[in-house]
């Protein structure tokens, strides 16, 4: 049997092999992150864990400002557009990224005490941040290049080495340090520099061009209009931890970060489904057969909704496994953040229309709107109801995000699809509303495990009764991957 499967694997096209290994690698990354979380919550206090989470939040927000996310959309498009000159294009963007990072690092060092006060950093942490931005950017350029050519072996190996050694080195540094937050950060920076710096050297050797006026201007013109989108996406996912730290304390930020991290485990399922479905959606848009989308989208909406509601059901047990009693309050934030993951999945089905028809203003408008609402709600609700409210302001911000993207999708359908709409709003409202009612109802049973376990048994029985429907959905997804 093993020989049979090996033969099937060998006969797979390179695209399918690469896709399979990238997916396996993604699951391993999330798995290791999940396994190491209980270690860090036990060797760091809630305050230290909160300070590290705030550092990560600032890292996410500052990255698009520092390096303009050059390794994202503009690079992916450029390696196709400038395929005959790909090596020079790659090395010049690597050079541009290094120049931008070095410039911002110089500005930081000129008045580091001023910036440290704003970002709640030490100078060592600030320098580590710039090293991480550059090293990760260098790796992302090389990674995109490898993916474009379906060269998965070196990429998977390097990714797994980083995934294993970052927490391992960090734990060693933390145990042997008094400043445990800086030790955690430096551990990551050291591993990234050791593993990723070589990708910069490799692409510079291949392209032999540090500066190219043509390519630097092209990258600026493409990515500057998208900067509000990139920045707002990171603000939407990170600002709550920063605001909790300033308004409630580092310990509360650490507890919130645990709830956020646990809930984001569910994005593994989002990624797995979207890697299969997104290319298929683009094909349907190209063929103008958007009426085919609902038959696949609706079962996926239901599946992701159910998975996130299951996380809400098991929240007390999950938090008990992931952290000591000091983090127990995290259970009250998981329903809000977990349901946000569902709406993140939902909006992708609408935003695909905007990306396909290159409506960058729509994309930026929805993202900025969601980010501004999140900041405003956090300011009001954290002051009035405490830091737990941040889990629910995040949820309502992502709901607005999904609503705006749906509205823009409808406008695109009017313009390009003779007003044919792929999804029924009533069904989407029913799924979203049902998901929220179920999540909030389960939350009320956290102090009554008997009722909650009875609900879990009912869900298992319903799943067993619907096993044929579940299998049919899996067959549809399998057919999409083959097609």
């Amino acid at each position: 049997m093993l020989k049979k499967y090996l033969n099937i694997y060998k006969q797979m096209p390179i695209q399918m092999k690469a896709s399979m290994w990238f997916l396996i690698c993604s699951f391993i990354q999330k798995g290791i992150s999940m396994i190491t979380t209980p270690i860090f919550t036990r060797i760091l206090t809630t305050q230290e864990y909160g300070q590290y989470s705030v550092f990560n939040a600032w890292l996410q927000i500052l990255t698009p400002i520092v390096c303009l996310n050059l390794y994202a959309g503009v690079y992916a498009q450029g390696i196709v557009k400038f395929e005959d000159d790909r090596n020079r294009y790659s090395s010049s963007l690597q050079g541009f990224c290094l120049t931008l990072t070095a410039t911002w690092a110089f500005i930081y060092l000129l008045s580091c005490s001023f910036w440290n006060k704003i970002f709640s950093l030490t100078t060592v942490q600030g320098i580590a941040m710039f090293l991480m931005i550059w090293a990760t950017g260098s790796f992302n350029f090389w990674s995109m290049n490898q993916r474009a050519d379906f060269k998965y072996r070196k990429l998977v190996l390097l990714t797994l080495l980083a995934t294993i050694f970052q927490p391992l080195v960090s734990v060693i540094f933390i145990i042997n340090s008094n400043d445990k937050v800086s030790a955690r950060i430096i551990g990551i920076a050291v591993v990234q520099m050791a593993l990723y710096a070589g990708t910069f050297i490799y692409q510079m050797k291949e392209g032999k061009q540090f500066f190219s006026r043509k390519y630097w201007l092209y990258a600026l013109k493409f990515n500057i209009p998208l900067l509000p989108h990139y920045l707002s996406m990171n603000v939407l996912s990170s600002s709550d931890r920063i605001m909790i730290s300033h308004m409630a304390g580092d310990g509360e930020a650490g507890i919130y970060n645990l709830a956020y991290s646990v809930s984001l485990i569910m994005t593994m399922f989002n990624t797995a489904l979207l890697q299969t479905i997104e290319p298929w959606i683009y094909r349907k848009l190209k063929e103008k057969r958007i009426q085919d989308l609902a038959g696949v989208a609706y079962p996926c909406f239901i599946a992701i909704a159910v998975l996130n509601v299951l996380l809400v059901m098991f929240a007390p047990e999950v938090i008990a496994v992931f952290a000591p009693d000091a983090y127990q309050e995290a259970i009250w934030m998981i329903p809000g953040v977990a349901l946000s993951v569902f709406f993140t999945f939902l909006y992708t089905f609408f935003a695909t229309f905007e990306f396909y028809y290159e409506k960058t203003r729509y994309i930026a408008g929805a993202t900025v709107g969601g980010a501004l609402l999140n900041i405003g709600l956090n300011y009001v609700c954290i002051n009035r109801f405490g830091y737990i409210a941040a889990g629910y302001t995040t949820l309502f911000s992502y709901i607005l995000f999904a609503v705006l993207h749906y509205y823009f999708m409808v406008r695109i359908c009017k313009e390009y699809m003779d007003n044919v709409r792929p999804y029924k709003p009533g069904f989407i409202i029913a799924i979203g509303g049902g998901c929220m009612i179920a999540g909030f109802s389960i939350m009320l049973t956290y102090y009554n495990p008997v009722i909650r376990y009875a609900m879990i048994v009912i869900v298992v029985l319903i799943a067993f009764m619907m096993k044929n429907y579940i299998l049919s959905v899996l067959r549809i997804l399998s057919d999409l991957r083959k097609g």
Side-chain angles (χ1 to χ4, degrees):
M1 187 173 286
L2 181 60
K3 198 171 183 179
K4 176 186 172 184
Y5 285 118
L6 282 173
N7 287 331
I8 293 171
Y9 174 77
K10 287 175 183 177
Q11 291 169 12
M12 282 182 184
I14 187 68
Q15 295 91 336
M16 189 173 287
K17 284 182 183 177
S19 177
M20 183 185 76
W21 278 108
F22 293 149
L23 187 60
I24 290 170
C25 188
S26 175
F27 271 93
I28 292 172
Q29 279 182 290
K30 295 284 186 183
I32 291 175
S33 174
M34 187 166 58
I35 292 165
T36 56
T37 296
I39 297 172
F40 288 113
T41 55
R42 283 166 172 82
I43 61 176
L44 299 172
T45 64
T46 55
Q47 287 78 15
E48 290 166 340
Y49 194 69
Q51 288 166 17
Y52 172 68
S53 73
V54 170
F55 170 86
N56 262 339
W58 279 121
L59 176 64
Q60 289 178 31
I61 290 171
L62 293 175
T63 294
I65 296 172
V66 171
C67 68
L68 300 179
N69 276 15
L70 291 172
Y71 46 78
V74 66
Y75 185 66
Q77 188 188 61
I79 58 176
V80 176
K81 186 172 183 177
F82 307 115
E83 189 172 4
D84 295 336
D85 197 25
R86 187 200 289 190
N87 288 338
R88 276 199 332 122
Y89 176 71
S90 299
S91 65
S92 67
L93 258 62
Q94 283 272 19
F96 194 14
C97 185
L98 176 58
T99 303
L100 288 171
T101 308
T103 302
W104 281 106
F106 178 71
I107 293 169
Y108 165 76
L109 290 171
L110 283 177
S111 51
C112 52
S113 58
F114 169 76
W115 296 112
N116 289 345
K117 189 174 181 181
I118 291 176
F119 300 129
S120 303
L121 300 175
T122 65
T123 302
V124 170
Q125 292 171 0
I127 292 169
M129 180 182 288
F130 283 104
L131 291 175
M132 290 163 71
I133 290 171
W134 172 73
T136 305
S138 296
F139 170 75
N140 285 334
F141 283 120
W142 176 80
S143 168
M144 182 64 73
N145 210 33
Q146 296 289 298
R147 287 174 183 270
D149 292 333
F150 303 106
K151 294 178 180 177
Y152 57 89
R153 289 185 178 88
K154 290 179 182 177
L155 175 55
V156 169
L157 176 62
L158 194 57
T159 303
L160 291 180
L161 285 173
T163 304
I164 292 166
F165 279 102
Q166 283 181 105
L168 182 62
V169 172
S170 292
V171 168
I172 294 169
F173 282 12
I174 289 169
I175 291 170
N176 293 283
S177 174
N178 292 323
D179 185 354
K180 297 183 185 299
V181 179
S182 293
R184 172 76 168 113
I185 293 164
I186 293 167
I188 296 171
V190 166
V191 172
Q192 289 186 352
M193 288 295 293
L195 292 176
Y196 296 163
T199 61
F200 173 84
I201 296 167
Y202 173 80
Q203 287 200 303
M204 291 306 297
K205 280 185 175 179
E206 289 285 302
K208 299 179 176 63
Q209 180 109 26
F210 187 91
F211 171 75
S212 167
R213 186 173 182 275
K214 172 186 173 183
Y215 293 141
W216 284 28
L217 285 175
Y218 171 76
L220 280 173
K221 288 177 182 176
F222 189 98
N223 263 33
I224 289 293
L226 286 172
L227 188 58
H229 168 67
Y230 292 137
L231 188 57
S232 297
M233 280 296 291
N234 289 344
V235 167
L236 191 56
S237 63
S238 306
S239 62
D240 38 18
R241 281 166 283 178
I242 295 169
M243 294 182 76
I244 289 171
S245 174
H246 283 285
M247 298 168 70
D250 289 332
E252 286 76 8
I255 294 169
Y256 176 81
N257 188 63
L258 177 68
Y260 194 86
S261 300
V262 167
S263 299
L264 286 187
I265 292 168
M266 304 309 291
T267 59
M268 286 193 299
F269 299 101
N270 288 18
T271 302
L273 281 172
L274 290 172
Q275 282 183 339
T276 299
I277 293 168
E278 274 191 297
W280 177 79
I281 293 176
Y282 282 118
R283 286 201 300 272
K284 292 299 177 183
L285 286 171
K286 186 177 181 180
E287 296 165 2
K288 293 192 181 294
R289 293 180 57 187
I290 60 170
Q291 66 274 12
D292 296 344
L293 299 182
V296 172
Y298 291 168
C300 291
F301 295 163
I302 294 169
I304 294 297
V306 169
L307 286 170
N308 282 285
V309 168
L310 283 174
L311 175 61
V312 175
M313 274 189 170
F314 288 101
E317 290 76 16
V318 171
I319 294 299
V321 169
F322 273 81
D325 290 342
Y327 291 84
Q328 190 61 25
E329 279 189 344
I331 64 172
W332 303 108
M333 286 166 282
I334 280 187
V337 184
L339 295 174
S340 301
V341 174
F342 166 73
F343 286 98
T344 303
F345 180 76
L346 187 68
Y347 95 77
T348 309
F349 284 77
F350 313 145
T352 310
F353 286 70
E354 296 155 57
F355 281 104
Y356 182 80
Y357 289 102
E358 299 180 359
K359 300 291 186 181
T360 53
R361 284 185 301 171
Y362 290 172
I363 297 165
T367 316
V368 170
L372 290 176
L373 178 68
N374 187 241
I375 292 170
L377 286 176
N378 275 338
Y379 181 77
V380 172
C381 295
I382 293 172
N383 272 323
R384 187 164 183 180
F385 304 110
Y387 76 103
I388 290 175
Y392 301 91
T393 61
T394 299
L395 170 61
F396 289 115
S397 298
Y398 276 108
I399 290 172
L400 174 68
F401 202 37
V403 169
L404 287 173
H405 279 296
Y406 182 84
Y407 169 72
F408 293 138
M409 181 198 72
V410 169
R411 290 186 62 171
I412 289 169
C413 289
K414 284 181 181 178
E415 187 175 351
Y416 296 99
M417 304 285 181
D418 298 324
N419 207 22
V420 175
R421 300 181 187 183
Y423 315 114
K424 292 180 180 178
F427 184 88
I428 293 169
I429 291 169
I431 291 293
C435 183
M436 290 173 65
I437 290 168
F440 294 147
S441 300
I442 292 164
M443 185 175 68
L444 298 176
T445 69
Y446 283 169
Y447 283 133
N448 195 325
V450 174
I451 295 175
R452 187 160 53 86
Y453 291 146
M455 292 173 74
I456 291 169
V457 171
I458 292 168
V459 169
V460 171
L461 289 173
I462 292 171
F464 180 76
M465 291 167 62
M466 295 180 66
K467 64 180 185 296
N468 291 332
Y469 174 75
I470 294 168
L471 290 172
S472 69
V473 171
L474 292 174
R475 278 194 293 270
I476 290 170
L477 295 173
S478 177
D479 290 342
L480 288 182
R481 185 174 286 276
K482 291 173 185 174

